[in-house]
Amino acid sequence: MSDPVPLRRAPSPQDQAAQSDDLYAVRQKIHLRSVSGMFATWRWALVWFTQILFYGLPWLTWNDRQAVLFHLAERKFYIFGWVFWPQDVFYLAILLIIAAYALFFFTAIAGRLWCGYACPQTVYTEIFMWIEEKIEGDHKQRKKLENASMSAHKLAVRSAKYGAWAVAGLWTGFTFVAYFSPLDELLQSAATLSFGPWELFWILFYGGFTYLFAGVMREQVCLYMCPYARFQGVMFDPDTLVVTYDQERGEARGPRKKGIDPRSQGKGDCVDCGICVQVCPTGIDIRDGLQYECIGCAACIDGCDQVMDKMGYPRGLIRYSTENAVKKRWGRREIIGHVMRPRTLIYGGILALACVAMILGLAGRSDLRVDVIRDRATLAREVEGGLIENVYQLQIMNMRETARAFDLGVSGLEGARIEGVKSIEIPPASTRSVTVQVRVPADAGKPGSHEIAFDVSAADVSGVSVQEETTFLMPR
């Protein structure tokens, strides 16, 4: 007889809590230490560059209109001298291809450059942390304030910080909406607090998430929400430049006095100061090796270089390097020489072709577009004089921002002519539909379908013309 199976008791609340502690880590708030150096300078330079573009473009004017405006109500995208219509979705597709392969190309070369320097999450987190530091003080003062009990001083400081964050978030949301709704209309609505429902929704939505992601969640967005960290590994290879800790040089780590040769004490160059962890926006220790949480911002490089300078050691204990370079002790020349490898050549080639296609497409873009729609109600009919008539609807798009007149003509069948409207004037950046009747002699062709073409040309300038083909039906 087999032994009885012991009964399992239901887990107690204490057991469930213990299991939860094992499965989920409690967030430890990061009080980031500020750092200066070459990479911090580059990061702030890109913060200034991207935000001057973002906040400044809606205020620029071009041809008495907003220079950059994605006008959803009019279904037109204004980008300086260009006006794009829904039919120009081809350019959006090319732009997305360029963005994708640019990401692949630069990631294959030097890792998460986008994440570390230009990602909106990184940029706005830098801005919000700068506001926090100006109001609450450095990382030690912020940590002390965090641990202090609530008081009038803490309430005032926190209220000032949260208020400044809210203003920055709302201004960001307002600027975002200004790309889709004319800025002058938004300013008038702001003066009277009479925003439309969708405008108000998107200002609060975008501003609220800017506040939440950059001010509250910060590194959690990179650690748990951003998918790029999960699939970045497929774009890395042993010759990709990443932030690397030189274990051979740094170990064994430990404190020591300045001026003493660490090798005489059996130690490496790492003094185990922890600054590389204190300046990391995601709170990781780069000395544990490459981790998916690393966003490649190189703040740890700046922090470590400062310590190396104070100790009189060479810089580069933490540096941009590659897996192969660390293993084979390559110098800068060998590292640069391995940048041009099959992966980067393929990415770079496709990226170059996409850029050329975009440039050629924009350069050859016509100022005139014509669509022909046959009148389905009346395919063909006989009119006075024994002529055969077909009716068409012409949609003529003036893609210039000046009013223009266009002449209409038809060719393809002997004796074909347009009856009635032979020219049309179209306002700037507008579309007009016109109904035209095409008549031909009854003996111009055999019964059936015949190819004809509408010729539409600008009346004020030569060389601007479009020929759109269609069919003419001759009755039996």
Side-chain angles (χ1 to χ4, degrees):
M1 184 174 179
S2 61
D3 294 333
V5 177
L7 298 177
R8 296 183 179 180
R9 64 178 178 84
S12 66
Q14 291 79 8
D15 295 336
Q16 293 177 354
Q19 292 176 3
S20 297
D21 289 340
D22 292 337
L23 291 174
Y24 304 101
V26 178
R27 182 196 180 196
Q28 300 293 328
K29 186 171 182 181
I30 299 174
H31 296 280
L32 204 62
R33 179 174 182 164
S34 61
V35 64
S36 59
M38 179 180 68
F39 296 104
T41 301
W42 273 107
R43 193 161 51 254
W44 271 105
L46 282 169
V47 169
W48 280 101
F49 175 73
T50 55
Q51 297 316 292
I52 287 174
L53 283 180
F54 176 73
Y55 292 111
L57 282 178
W59 295 88
L60 297 180
T61 57
W62 189 282
N63 291 339
D64 297 326
R65 60 159 172 83
Q66 196 169 315
V68 178
L69 176 62
F70 308 120
H71 206 312
L72 299 181
E74 295 184 357
R75 298 181 181 179
K76 300 174 189 175
F77 287 2
Y78 299 96
I79 304 178
F80 294 98
W82 289 314
V83 181
F84 294 95
W85 304 70
Q87 294 89 336
D88 292 316
V89 68
F90 162 79
Y91 297 105
L92 177 60
I94 295 296
L95 183 62
L96 292 176
I97 292 173
I98 291 174
Y101 276 95
L103 182 64
F104 300 159
F105 178 71
F106 289 108
T107 301
I109 290 177
R112 298 177 66 173
L113 291 177
W114 166 257
C115 295
Y117 297 92
C119 174
Q121 176 64 23
T122 298
V123 168
Y124 285 107
T125 299
E126 288 280 351
I127 294 173
F128 275 57
M129 286 194 303
W130 178 84
I131 294 173
E132 183 178 57
E133 184 175 1
K134 293 302 179 183
I135 295 176
E136 293 188 351
D138 61 21
H139 67 291
K140 293 181 180 179
Q141 294 172 313
R142 296 197 301 273
K143 190 172 183 179
K144 182 178 179 181
L145 183 68
E146 179 76 19
N147 297 328
S149 58
M150 183 56 66
S151 63
H153 171 72
K154 183 174 181 177
L155 180 62
V157 172
R158 286 293 170 87
S159 298
K161 180 183 74 172
Y162 295 146
W165 283 357
V167 171
L170 288 174
W171 183 245
T172 302
F174 179 88
T175 303
F176 173 77
V177 174
Y179 280 93
F180 301 93
S181 184
L183 180 61
D184 53 353
E185 297 178 10
L186 278 181
L187 292 174
Q188 293 175 6
S189 300
T192 58
L193 296 179
S194 58
F195 292 109
W198 282 110
E199 293 171 341
L200 181 61
F201 169 80
W202 282 108
I203 290 174
L204 296 177
F205 181 87
Y206 197 86
F209 271 92
T210 301
Y211 179 101
L212 179 65
F213 285 177
V216 180
M217 298 182 67
R218 293 186 180 174
E219 78 283 353
Q220 294 182 95
V221 176
C222 300
L223 297 181
Y224 306 118
M225 298 177 64
C226 179
Y228 181 58
R230 267 58 180 185
F231 68 76
Q232 62 167 331
V234 301
M235 290 183 282
F236 283 22
D237 60 35
D239 288 315
T240 298
L241 283 167
V242 292
V243 178
T244 306
Y245 168 69
D246 192 337
Q247 288 192 351
E248 183 177 339
R249 175 185 159 187
E251 302 296 326
R253 69 185 75 155
R256 79 291 307 268
K257 293 182 179 180
K258 183 179 179 181
I260 297 178
D261 183 9
R263 303 296 183 272
S264 65
Q265 299 182 345
K267 296 179 179 178
D269 285 354
C270 179
V271 300
D272 202 19
C273 61
I275 287 181
C276 56
V277 180
Q278 297 171 22
V279 301
C280 178
T282 57
I284 65 170
D285 191 341
I286 194 63
R287 295 173 296 180
D288 294 336
L290 180 64
Q291 301 149 68
Y292 81 88
E293 297 94 341
C294 176
I295 62 172
C297 66
C300 55
I301 298 179
D302 286 332
C304 186
D305 283 347
Q306 292 177 2
V307 175
M308 294 296 102
D309 291 342
K310 290 179 181 179
M311 297 299 296
Y313 299 161
R315 289 188 169 195
L317 178 59
I318 302 176
R319 63 185 184 272
Y320 270 110
S321 188
T322 70
E323 182 182 341
N324 282 335
V326 172
K327 288 181 179 179
K328 301 176 183 179
R329 313 306 299 173
W330 283 346
R332 181 177 298 179
R333 178 174 297 179
E334 290 85 358
I335 294 174
I336 295 176
H338 284 78
V339 168
M340 305 304 294
R341 55 193 188 277
R343 174 181 294 219
T344 57
L345 289 175
I346 292 172
Y347 289 157
I350 297 175
L351 178 61
L353 289 175
C355 291
V356 170
M358 175 68 86
I359 293 172
L360 293 178
L362 292 175
R365 188 167 177 263
S366 175
D367 294 334
L368 171 63
R369 182 170 292 163
V370 179
D371 291 324
V372 180
I373 303 174
R374 172 182 290 281
D375 186 353
R376 299 297 181 182
T378 306
L379 297 181
R381 62 188 176 189
E382 185 175 351
V383 295
E384 64 272 10
L387 300 176
I388 304 301
E389 180 183 87
N390 283 196
V391 181
Y392 302 87
Q393 189 83 12
L394 297 186
Q395 291 184 340
I396 304 175
M397 185 181 298
N398 176 19
M399 305 178 75
R400 290 281 298 273
E401 293 192 80
T402 55
R404 305 183 76 170
F406 297 96
D407 296 329
L408 309 180
V410 66
S411 59
L413 280 175
E414 185 177 355
R417 71 175 189 270
I418 293 178
E419 188 69 21
V421 179
K422 292 187 173 67
S423 65
I424 184 173
E425 186 169 339
I426 303 179
S430 300
T431 301
R432 283 288 178 85
S433 295
V434 57
T435 301
V436 297
Q437 297 86 29
V438 177
R439 295 179 178 179
V440 302
D443 58 354
K446 298 179 181 180
S449 176
H450 299 268
E451 290 187 358
I452 63 171
F454 283 97
D455 302 306
V456 182
S457 58
D460 57 343
V461 61
S462 60
V464 178
S465 62
V466 169
Q467 188 176 75
E468 190 70 17
E469 294 183 351
T470 185
T471 58
F472 188 94
L473 297 180
M474 297 289 290
R476 297 185 181 276

